[in-house]
């Protein structure tokens, strides 16, 4: 490996002294990255960042240093799990170094003297070398589940599940994130918690500085307005491109979606009963009494205010029953409306946006 004497000392010295000279940083390079926040919380930027020049905005709201962790030498930014948003903007300055990402001190090692090989012995061939998997920089992680299912009315069966996650940089400025799941475990997401982890999500996402493309399962959210808001769980392709624009149009974002809807959208008004917290049954558009609600698609409004799952209500997705917690007393004067997606096992619907 190459040896860079005093490199770490120069990086620490410039990162400490440069901010004390004002807002000018001669010799440094200014950057601004616009990223889309999805399932990942780790963002790989550029190495040798000046920590005091880093400024972070999430959905046009500035963040302080307690909302994220920064590795300035490697250029890695990690958002806190408690934050939620869609668009992340990071501005910073870096030192103009173009070095290998691995550094270590060179230590000389004395090789043993080569043994004399008889002339009649054939020369030995070098053993073939194997390339380890994921040598391109992808970081794999996942889990394998094995179980035995038994009951008084069924035979013993074996249940299994495999969930594999891949993330990392596959090319210069191109980041890959993938989730592959093959589940055969009789588990369904609970409707009593505020955060759901779905086992049936399969997607591949490629992200660059100018946009991203996602194939597979994704959540589509368009225009959070009261008249034309759209929020769906889809399965298809989502393309997001950010154009610099010119004139009065700056930072134009184009989002294209073509997918198959996993469920049927419905908005239902529930007539409350005096003093009854539930359960209230969700029905289909044609009045079907038994529908399967897609986990995480429900939005419950009480008197026009959006409620939180697990805190204000609980829901049984298998039976479509909604029950309110004692935090809100249900009376006959209350106005209750629920937006959700459900499936009946029929055909699918396509959606273009």
């Amino acid at each position: 490996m190459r040896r860079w004497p005093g490199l770490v000392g120069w990086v620490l010295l410039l990162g400490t002294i440069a901010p004390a000279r004002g807002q000018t940083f001669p010799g440094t390079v200014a950057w601004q990255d616009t990223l889309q926040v999805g399932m990942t919380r780790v963002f790989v930027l550029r190495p040798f960042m000046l920590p005091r020049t880093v400024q972070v905005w999430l959905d046009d709201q500035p963040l302080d240093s307690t909302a994220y962790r920064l590795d300035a030498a490697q250029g890695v930014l990690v958002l806190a799990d408690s934050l939620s948003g869609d668009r992340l903007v990071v501005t910073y300055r870096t030192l103009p170094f173009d070095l290998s990402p691995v550094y270590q001190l060179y230590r000389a090692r004395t090789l043993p003297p080569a043994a004399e090989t008889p002339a009649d012995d054939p020369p030995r061939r070098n053993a073939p070398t194997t390339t380890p998997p994921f040598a391109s920089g992808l970081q794999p992680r996942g889990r394998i589940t094995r179980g035995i299912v038994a009951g008084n009315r069924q035979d013993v069966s074996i249940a299994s599940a495999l969930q594999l996650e891949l993330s990392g940089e596959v090319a210069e400025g191109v980041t890959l994130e993938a989730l592959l799941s093959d589940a055969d475990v009789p588990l369904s997401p609970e409707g009593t918690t505020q955060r759901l982890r779905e086992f049936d999500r399969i997607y591949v996402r490629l992200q660059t500085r100018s946009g991203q493309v996602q194939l597979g399962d994704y959540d589509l959210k368009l225009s959070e307005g009261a008249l034309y808001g759209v929020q769906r769980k889809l399965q298809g392709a989502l393309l997001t491109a950010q154009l610099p624009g010119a004139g009065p149009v700056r930072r134009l974002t184009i989002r294209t979606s073509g997918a198959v809807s996993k469920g049927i959208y419905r908005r239902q008004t529930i007539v409350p009963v005096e003093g009854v917290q539930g359960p209230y049954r969700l029905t289909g558009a044609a009045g079907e009494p038994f529908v399967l609600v897609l986990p995480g698609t429900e939005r419950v409004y009480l008197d026009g205010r959006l409620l939180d799952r697990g805190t204000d209500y609980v829901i049984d997705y298998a039976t479509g029953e909604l029950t309110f917690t004692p935090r809100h007393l249900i009376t006959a004067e209350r106005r209750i409306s629920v937006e959700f997606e459900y499936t009946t096992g029929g055909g699918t619907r396509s959606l273009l946006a």
Side-chain angles (χ1 to χ4, degrees):
M1 305 302 294
R2 296 182 178 179
R3 181 179 179 182
W4 303 92
L7 174 61
V8 178
W10 281 108
V11 172
L12 296 178
L13 182 62
L14 291 177
T16 305
I17 299 178
R21 296 183 177 179
Q23 297 299 325
T24 59
F25 304 92
T28 61
V29 183
W31 303 93
Q32 176 175 336
D33 293 340
T34 302
L35 308 169
Q36 292 294 326
V37 179
M39 298 285 295
T40 181
R41 293 290 175 175
V42 181
F43 300 93
V44 181
L45 304 177
R46 297 170 179 83
F48 302 113
M49 303 168 60
L50 297 180
R52 297 190 182 180
T53 64
V54 177
Q55 296 181 356
V56 183
W57 291 270
L58 181 61
D59 291 340
D60 298 331
Q61 297 295 328
L63 301 179
D64 56 6
S65 59
T66 60
Y68 59 88
R69 290 186 291 107
L70 179 66
D71 187 349
Q74 299 293 334
V76 178
L77 187 142
V78 182
L79 282 179
D81 294 337
S82 59
L83 297 178
S84 61
D86 296 329
R87 182 169 172 269
L88 184 70
V89 179
V90 185
T91 61
Y92 55 94
R93 285 182 172 269
T94 60
L95 298 176
F97 292 157
D98 186 11
L99 305 176
S100 175
V102 179
Y103 313 97
Q104 66 181 27
L105 294 176
Y106 175 77
R107 295 181 180 179
R109 183 176 59 179
T110 303
L111 298 178
E116 296 182 0
T117 304
D120 54 353
D121 289 347
R124 297 180 180 178
R125 297 181 179 180
N126 295 330
T129 58
T130 59
T131 303
F134 308 111
S136 60
L138 294 178
Q139 298 295 329
R141 61 182 182 272
R143 64 180 66 90
I144 299 178
T145 304
R146 296 289 186 267
I148 299 177
V149 181
N152 56 355
R153 294 187 179 181
Q154 65 178 10
D155 297 333
V156 178
S157 61
I158 299 178
S160 62
L162 169 64
Q163 186 173 6
L164 176 63
E165 300 178 15
L166 297 176
S167 62
E169 190 172 6
V170 295
E172 181 67 26
V174 180
T175 303
L176 172 67
E177 180 182 349
L179 174 62
L180 307 177
S181 175
D182 183 12
D184 189 20
V185 178
L187 298 177
S188 60
E190 296 291 340
T192 58
T193 59
Q194 294 183 354
R195 189 173 183 178
L196 294 180
R197 297 195 60 172
E198 298 176 277
F199 291 92
D200 58 349
R201 290 179 65 90
I202 301 177
Y203 68 88
V204 177
R205 178 189 301 158
L206 289 174
Q207 182 174 350
T208 63
R209 298 183 181 91
S210 58
Q212 69 175 7
V213 59
Q214 181 169 342
L215 305 177
D217 298 327
Y218 61 92
D219 297 333
L220 179 63
K221 297 181 181 179
L222 297 176
S223 301
E224 296 291 341
L227 297 179
Y228 48 89
V230 175
Q231 182 175 358
R232 298 288 188 275
K233 283 184 176 292
L234 304 174
Q235 189 174 42
L238 174 65
L239 174 62
T240 303
Q242 297 179 357
L243 305 179
V249 181
R250 298 291 178 88
R251 297 180 182 178
L252 180 63
T253 301
I254 299 178
R255 182 176 299 176
T256 305
S257 174
V260 175
S261 179
K262 301 175 65 175
I264 303 174
Y265 173 79
R266 171 164 166 74
R267 180 182 179 91
Q268 179 178 346
T269 300
I270 297 178
V271 179
V273 181
E274 183 71 26
V276 178
Q277 299 294 119
Y280 294 95
R281 183 176 295 276
L282 302 179
T283 61
E288 303 94 326
F290 300 102
V291 295
L292 181 62
V293 180
L294 295 182
T297 61
E298 82 283 353
R299 295 169 65 89
V300 182
Y301 295 90
L302 180 63
D303 295 335
R305 188 174 69 88
L306 181 62
L307 302 183
D308 296 328
R309 178 182 57 249
T311 303
D312 301 322
Y313 69 91
V314 294
I315 182 173
D316 189 342
Y317 293 112
T319 60
E321 293 180 343
L322 179 70
T323 304
F324 294 91
T325 63
R327 186 176 181 181
H328 299 282
L329 181 62
I330 302 301
T331 62
E333 291 78 15
R334 293 280 193 172
R335 293 179 294 107
I336 304 174
S337 61
V338 184
E339 297 178 359
F340 62 96
E341 294 182 41
Y342 69 96
T343 178
T344 59
T348 58
R349 298 183 177 184
S350 59
L351 189 146
L352 300 177

